[in-house]
Amino acid sequence: MLVRTHITLASLIVMVLVAVTLMFAAYLAQQAAEERFIELSLSGKRVLLEQIVDRHASEMSAFTKALTRDRTTINALRKGDRKILQEQVDTTHNLFQSDGTLDRLQITDPAGKYLASAPDKFSGITAKALVKQAANQSRMVHGLSRDDDGSLQAVLAFPLYARGKLKGIAVYSRDLQRVIDDFRVGVGSDVFVMDTDGSQKYTASNNQQQQIKAPETKGNLGAMTVVKSDGRFHVVSALPIVNILGEAMGTLVASQDQTESYRTQETVTYTSIGIVLLALAGSAIGLFLYIRRAFQPIGQVISSMTSIA
């Protein structure tokens, strides 16, 4: 093999290695940027969800005096008159449900035993951690919670006192459907809530999609993936829904059509690869011609010496 061939091949190998190294470095940088984007996107959605729950709780808290300042309710609670207490709860619930203030109203004793509830009638001891927290801390608390019938609610729990003594815990709640409808408006995506068994429990109003498969999440960390279906690209995000104890209650899933963005990204990627390949091919041809021309005088000298010999 001629010397110039050795040099040409070595130069080509070096150019290819440099190009591959630069492409790999670009790939790693893109991966890091995507991971950062996923982290920020999930964090933003988590903050938005918390803000929506806080707003719903704040709206309900404006009407707590309807119970804390109602003498009939407090006297019935103090005397243990559950019939009068239930009548008051029904009346208050009907009033507040009609204007959208709340969907459910419940009163328990400090130990969590149901005393009255509307519209559904509950009995026994509630499993809602927020009720226990409100009783233990003697203050108003709020958050997402699973009610005793399995539905998910935005809950506001606050103490009820009679003559300075804690006599009960009142619970205002709104169905999670209202929360995810607000969340859909905030993120501009289709929104779903999956139960802990993977079944679809809630679907936001005006969703374009009616079903979704949620990406797997690890612990309380969220996840994001890209799903390609029927030529469309959907970015699917999943956020675990947990109660105040950190127990999983379901998964909030948001799906957004990003087909145009991904098609643009594909075009840019393929164009970049094409440019690199063209640059390598052009460099290889130019290098070959240069070395051939550079070694031409040497070939002439060798031919002359051979003729003399």
Side-chain angles (χ1 to χ4, degrees):
M1 186 179 291
L2 298 176
V3 174
R4 70 183 182 186
T5 304
H6 282 288
I7 295 176
T8 302
L9 288 176
S11 301
L12 288 175
I13 291 172
V14 170
M15 285 192 298
V16 170
L17 288 176
V18 170
V20 170
T21 301
L22 291 176
M23 292 177 67
F24 183 68
Y27 170 77
L28 292 179
Q30 181 180 355
Q31 289 295 104
E34 288 182 355
E35 289 178 1
R36 180 59 176 165
F37 169 77
I38 291 174
E39 181 182 346
L40 291 175
S41 179
L42 293 175
S43 176
K45 288 181 173 63
R46 188 175 293 108
V47 169
L48 176 61
L49 178 61
E50 292 174 353
Q51 289 176 341
I52 291 173
V53 173
D54 289 346
R55 177 173 59 79
H56 280 275
S58 177
E59 291 173 357
M60 290 188 290
S61 68
F63 299 91
T64 56
K65 291 182 180 179
L67 292 182
T68 59
R69 300 290 180 86
D70 183 63
R71 291 186 178 181
T72 304
T73 300
I74 296 302
N75 286 336
L77 188 61
R78 179 174 60 84
K79 296 176 182 179
D81 191 336
R82 298 184 62 175
K83 181 179 179 180
I84 297 298
L85 187 62
Q86 183 63 57
E87 291 176 354
Q88 290 299 112
V89 166
D90 287 337
T91 300
T92 305
H93 169 264
N94 292 337
L95 175 65
F96 286 157
Q97 186 185 45
S98 64
D99 63 7
T101 299
L102 52 81
D103 296 323
R104 296 184 177 188
L105 171 57
Q106 302 162 351
I107 294 180
T108 71
D109 65 12
K113 181 180 179 180
Y114 280 105
L115 300 177
S117 61
D120 303 307
K121 300 299 184 285
F122 291 94
S123 61
I125 304 295
T126 182
K128 292 191 287 291
L130 283 168
V131 172
K132 298 176 182 178
Q133 186 182 45
N136 292 335
Q137 299 180 4
S138 297
R139 66 180 182 87
M140 185 185 299
V141 295
H142 72 272
L144 293 178
S145 179
R146 186 183 293 277
D147 212 341
D148 295 297
D149 63 352
S151 64
L152 298 179
Q153 305 280 323
V155 172
L156 175 74
F158 54 96
L160 296 174
Y161 292 94
R163 296 181 178 177
K165 294 183 179 181
L166 180 64
K167 288 295 183 179
I169 301 297
V171 177
Y172 287 174
S173 66
R174 292 179 176 179
D175 192 78
L176 188 68
Q177 183 67 49
R178 298 169 66 172
V179 174
I180 66 170
D181 285 344
D182 290 345
F183 188 83
R184 185 191 185 284
V185 174
V187 297
S189 307
D190 290 346
V191 180
F192 309 83
V193 172
M194 317 301 287
D195 211 339
T196 51
D197 61 2
S199 62
Q200 191 168 304
K201 194 172 182 67
Y202 292 91
T203 302
S205 303
N206 302 320
N207 270 3
Q208 294 182 355
Q209 297 174 279
Q210 295 305 313
Q211 291 184 334
I212 196 69
K213 183 178 180 181
E216 294 184 3
T217 59
K218 296 181 180 180
N220 290 337
L221 299 177
M224 181 180 289
T225 187
V226 179
V227 178
K228 186 177 181 180
S229 177
D230 298 328
R232 308 294 296 179
F233 292 89
H234 290 88
V235 178
V236 182
S237 307
L239 286 176
I241 301 175
V242 298
N243 62 14
I244 59 170
L245 300 179
E247 298 169 340
M249 298 187 296
T251 304
L252 179 71
V253 181
S255 174
Q256 189 170 31
D257 190 333
Q258 293 285 352
T259 302
E260 296 305 320
S261 297
Y262 273 87
R263 284 178 177 170
T264 301
Q265 182 179 345
E266 282 186 339
T267 301
V268 171
T269 300
Y270 292 144
T271 301
S272 300
I273 293 174
I275 291 174
V276 171
L277 293 177
L278 287 175
L280 284 174
S283 300
I285 294 172
L287 179 65
F288 174 77
L289 294 175
Y290 171 77
I291 292 179
R292 183 178 180 180
R293 182 176 180 181
F295 274 81
Q296 189 173 7
I298 297 177
Q300 293 174 352
V301 171
I302 293 175
S303 296
S304 300
M305 293 179 65
T306 301
S307 299
I308 294 173

